Every structure is written in structure tokens, then in C-alpha cells.
Amino acid sequence: MTQPSTQSSTPPTRTAAIVLGAGLVTTGLVAGVYFCFAVAIMPALGHVDDRTFIDFLQQVNRSIENPVFFSCFFGAPILGVISIAQTRKLGTPETVRWVVIGVALAFVGMLITMGGNIPLNNKIDDAGAPAKVADPAKLREDVENTWIAWNIARTLFATAALATLTRATHLFARTTRAHRAA
């Protein structure tokens, strides 16, 4: 009778690479959403009337709250923290440093979203039906430029997180290849 294997079927380095790669991809997807708002969506909305602006942002606020976006938005930092633990355990200190920096940058972007953009989104939502907003120009004035500034900031942090996690992924691959060759 054979004994069940006590070893995992997936080596720790492979699991760590998968988690790091998934963190990289989800971070990139979140950065891409922010980037699209910065370079296309908000500039396009600059050419529409106030009620259309309000209506569009209300629609986005409702549609972005979905499992796919949330899995990336919350998954990226969770995967990053798991990756820190895994790469630390595997003894790859240079990779760990870059992952820590990437996760810290992603957390800053997340905090900007939660402390800057979401309160402005809520202000737009709380205004009610766009057709019934008493002063749509004032609401837009109160929200638009500040929202854009916060979005640029979170885009920069998320993009920097993506770059550092890309570096971490490269270092991890190089380090694990060198260990296998030795």
C-alpha cells in the first residue's frame, strides 16, 4: 500500500511565481482603469453638459461595483501581501523589497480612491436623479476638478506599483533560475 505524498504537488517557487504574477496582473488592470479615466473618459466628459456629466458618473458608480472589478481592486493588495510572505520564506530579499514597495504604492492608490474619489462619487450619487438636481453646474464644479486630481494621483501610484511589481517579478524569475542552475 502506498503512502500519500506529504509534499505539495506544486513547488513553493512555482506557487510564489503564480501569486506574484497574479498580483502584477491585477495591479495592472486597476492601473489601467484609472489610466483610462485620466486620458479618455474625463477629458471626453469635459465636452458634455452638466446633467450628462452627473448621469454618466452615477452610472459608472453603479456599474463599477461588481465582482470582477472588486476582485482586482481588493485582490491586488491581498495577493501582494501573500507574495511578500512567500518570497520572504523562499529567501529572495531583493524580490521582497520590490514587492513591499509595490504593495505600499498600491495601498496608497487604494487609500486615495477610498479617501478622495469615492467620497466625491458619493456626493454625485447623493444628488439624486440628474434631471432633478437644482444646480447641476455647482455640483459639477464641486466635484470634477478635485476628482480628476485624485484620479491622476492614484493613477501615478498604481502605475508605480505596477512598475515595481514588474521589477520584482523579473528579479524573482532571475533568482529562481539561478538557484535551479546551481
Side-chain angles (χ1 to χ4, degrees):
M1 184 157 198
T2 59
Q3 295 287 335
S5 173
T6 57
Q7 288 186 335
S8 170
S9 61
T10 306
T13 53
R14 183 168 177 88
T15 302
I18 290 167
V19 171
L20 181 56
L24 174 69
V25 169
T26 55
T27 299
L29 290 169
V30 171
V33 168
Y34 300 160
F35 181 76
C36 286
F37 270 95
V39 302
I41 296 169
M42 295 310 288
L45 285 176
H47 302 288
V48 302
D49 66 84
D50 299 331
R51 291 189 196 281
T52 302
F53 176 86
I54 294 165
D55 182 52
F56 179 83
L57 288 182
Q58 287 178 345
Q59 297 303 319
V60 169
N61 291 343
R62 284 190 277 285
S63 66
I64 203 158
E65 293 181 1
N66 67 70
V68 175
F69 180 73
F70 283 159
S71 68
C72 293
F73 184 75
F74 294 110
I78 291 168
L79 290 165
V81 169
I82 294 168
S83 188
I84 290 168
Q86 289 177 325
T87 55
R88 178 173 279 149
K89 186 176 180 180
L90 290 170
T92 54
E94 191 175 4
T95 300
V96 173
R97 281 192 293 274
W98 283 95
V99 176
V100 167
I101 293 167
V103 170
L105 291 165
F107 270 122
V108 172
M110 181 181 254
L111 291 174
I112 290 169
T113 299
M114 293 189 299
N117 295 95
I118 290 175
L120 295 170
N121 292 347
N122 292 341
K123 186 172 186 170
I124 291 278
D125 283 342
D126 292 346
K132 295 182 180 182
V133 174
D135 191 352
K138 174 75 170 111
L139 178 59
R140 182 178 187 164
E141 181 182 322
D142 290 348
V143 171
E144 185 173 25
N145 289 332
T146 305
W147 195 97
I148 289 170
W150 283 124
N151 186 64
I152 290 169
R154 71 183 180 171
T155 302
L156 293 172
F157 277 97
T159 303
L162 176 63
T164 59
L165 291 173
T166 300
R167 176 70 176 149
T169 303
H170 170 75
L171 291 170
F172 186 74
R174 187 176 73 192
T175 302
T176 55
R177 272 194 307 268
H179 285 203
R180 280 193 304 246

